[in-house]
Amino acid sequence: MLSIVVLEFLGTGLVLPFNVVYLHEVRGFALGDVGLLLGLPPLMGLLVVGPGGLAIDRVGARRIQLGVLSLLVVGNALLAFATTELVAGLALVLTGIAFGMSWPAWQSLVASVIPTHLRQRYFGVNFTLLNLGIGIGGVVGGLFVDVADLATFQAVYLVDAASYLPALLLLLGPLRHVAGRVVHEAGEATGQVSYLAVLRSPAMASLTVLSFVSSFVGYSQLNAGMPAFARQVGEVSTRGLGFAFAANTAVIVVLQLVVLQRIEGRRRTRVIAVMGVIWAFAWVALGFAGVIPGTLGATLLVAACASVFALGETLLQPTIPALVNDLAPDHLRGRFNAVSSAAFQGAAVIAPPTSGFLIGHALGSVYIGLLIVGCLVCGALAVARLEPQLSPEVNGVRVPDSEPAAH
């Protein structure tokens, strides 16, 4: 499972920093339209994540993931030749459907193989390899793409499409017996368990809100708002953006395993609170890049933003997936992961249009202020709201064998 991560996300890294650049500067779509287009994938993901979670619990995570990978191949290939907003929108709809089901399917697949006490470590190592792939792709993409040469952008999107083929082959071959249909115990009426019932769990409801806020001020902005601010306000070059994403990856690859050792046995909610403070400092650095546009200092500040943000990522990524899967019973794992995914997708729907509107209307300072406040809210939610609702064991605290775990 870990063997395909670098290859798959190398393709992602080739295009991730340049989606706004490709659609706005190369294809010539208005920045406001680009924000709406980039809001399509999370919107479609939000629409399909509910049925996707039910399907995972009924037919198995592996089969759903096979469909996901196929859609990603088609969607990215189509985006390479998108000459109109309509074609680009169709391509992004396909990738959005795929991403909407990918997270709960893959997390459920992982949880079916990796035991509870190793999940936090697995998610951390997976995230390290993921970012290694993205970082290599970002560096190569930054050196390769040229806004004056359409063919360079088409090439990277086609490579991104091809990067999902190894995972397809792996799931069709060596892993064909992994994460099939869930075996239910007699008397389990899983089909009658609604998403509303899942959200009636106080801890899961709080974790869902926390996931929404962290997505809005975090990854949704790193992928759309940060490049838009860097280009339009900070006047940073495409190579500078590639350098920033490479710095982001370098920090994760170097520090993730060290961070995993430091947070092992500590309360996951406190780790998330520290992440919120760190992300707030990252957005402060981005804001200062807009004060000195078009300079080397602006490029370095954008790179500093991406680097500091990466430190926060090393705290967040091992914790939230582990919390979700430690709260979820096996027969509802798809639905629990779908709820978490829906929270991230829902925030990602509104994040690109929000950043596009604020940046496009010269409200960059308002945009930065909104992100800083949101990051601090993340920490407050984690400690004041979620922590009292978790048992120490689920919250990552080592419980001695002689002591019964709280429920």
Side-chain angles (χ1 to χ4, degrees):
M1 288 164 59
L2 289 170
S3 68
I4 59 173
V5 175
V6 173
L7 287 176
E8 184 173 319
F9 284 92
L10 188 148
T12 302
L14 286 172
V15 301
L16 183 61
F18 309 112
N19 286 325
V20 174
V21 176
Y22 173 60
L23 296 173
H24 177 51
E25 300 184 35
V26 178
R27 289 302 186 183
F29 304 155
L31 187 59
D33 293 340
V34 170
L36 293 174
L37 284 171
L38 292 179
L40 282 175
L43 175 61
M44 295 308 302
L46 186 62
L47 293 176
V48 304
V49 71
L54 290 170
I56 292 165
D57 288 335
R58 289 174 180 170
V59 305
R62 187 188 70 90
R63 293 180 180 179
I64 300 302
Q65 190 67 11
L66 286 171
V68 162
L69 294 166
S70 300
L71 286 176
L72 288 170
V73 172
V74 175
N76 281 285
L78 182 60
L79 191 58
F81 301 100
T83 58
T84 66
E85 286 93 336
L86 181 61
V87 176
L90 176 60
L92 291 167
V93 163
L94 293 177
T95 58
I97 292 172
F99 280 121
M101 295 187 291
S102 176
W103 187 335
W106 188 251
Q107 303 283 45
S108 298
L109 194 151
V110 168
S112 72
V113 176
I114 307 300
T116 298
H117 68 282
L118 291 178
R119 284 176 192 157
Q120 182 167 294
R121 299 181 208 174
Y122 179 92
F123 288 126
V125 173
N126 181 86
F127 189 59
T128 302
L129 296 175
L130 178 156
N131 278 275
L132 181 61
I134 289 179
I136 295 172
V139 172
V140 174
L143 295 174
F144 180 72
V145 297
D146 181 355
V147 292
D149 188 353
L150 169 63
T152 61
F153 282 87
Q154 291 178 314
V156 295
Y157 278 99
L158 290 174
V159 172
D160 187 24
S163 71
Y164 297 104
L165 297 177
L168 266 171
L169 295 174
L170 191 67
L171 290 178
L172 288 170
L175 297 184
R176 63 187 179 277
H177 300 304
V178 169
R181 282 192 176 92
V182 178
V183 178
H184 304 292
E185 296 180 6
E188 275 184 350
T190 60
Q192 299 176 7
V193 179
S194 68
Y195 281 104
L196 184 59
V198 172
L199 287 172
R200 286 197 184 105
S201 163
M204 192 59 199
S206 298
L207 185 57
T208 301
V209 174
L210 177 60
S211 297
F212 178 88
V213 177
S214 65
S215 175
F216 180 82
V217 301
Y219 291 105
S220 301
Q221 303 301 338
L222 184 71
N223 297 335
M226 191 274 275
F229 187 95
R231 290 289 290 169
Q232 300 301 313
V233 183
E235 299 178 11
V236 174
S237 68
T238 54
R239 291 194 177 188
L241 273 179
F243 174 71
F245 276 86
N248 174 275
T249 298
V251 170
I252 292 170
V253 171
V254 171
L255 293 183
Q256 180 67 87
L257 298 182
V258 176
V259 170
L260 276 174
Q261 291 179 329
R262 295 293 186 271
I263 67 176
E264 188 78 18
R266 298 182 184 275
R267 294 184 185 274
R268 291 163 177 167
T269 47
R270 306 290 175 90
V271 173
I272 294 171
V274 173
M275 173 276 298
V277 175
I278 290 172
W279 275 5
F281 280 108
W283 298 130
V284 168
L286 181 64
F288 278 113
V291 178
I292 49 174
T295 64
L296 175 61
T299 299
L300 293 176
L301 281 168
V302 170
C305 166
S307 301
V308 175
F309 188 91
L311 178 58
E313 291 180 80
T314 65
L315 299 173
L316 181 71
Q317 278 299 321
T319 50
I320 283 188
L323 281 169
V324 171
N325 282 283
D326 283 354
L327 286 171
D330 287 338
H331 66 285
L332 297 178
R333 197 169 300 284
R335 270 163 272 198
F336 269 69
N337 279 293
V339 167
S340 179
S341 179
F344 272 79
Q345 295 284 355
V349 169
I350 63 174
T354 300
S355 60
F357 176 84
L358 293 175
I359 295 169
H361 288 78
L363 296 172
S365 59
V366 175
Y367 170 70
I368 296 297
L370 176 65
L371 298 187
I372 293 171
V373 171
C375 290
L376 300 179
V377 168
C378 277
L381 284 171
V383 175
R385 180 69 177 175
L386 178 60
E387 185 171 308
Q389 298 168 335
L390 298 175
S391 68
E393 187 177 36
V394 171
N395 204 11
V397 179
R398 292 192 183 96
V399 178
D401 294 337
S402 58
E403 296 181 14
H407 294 285

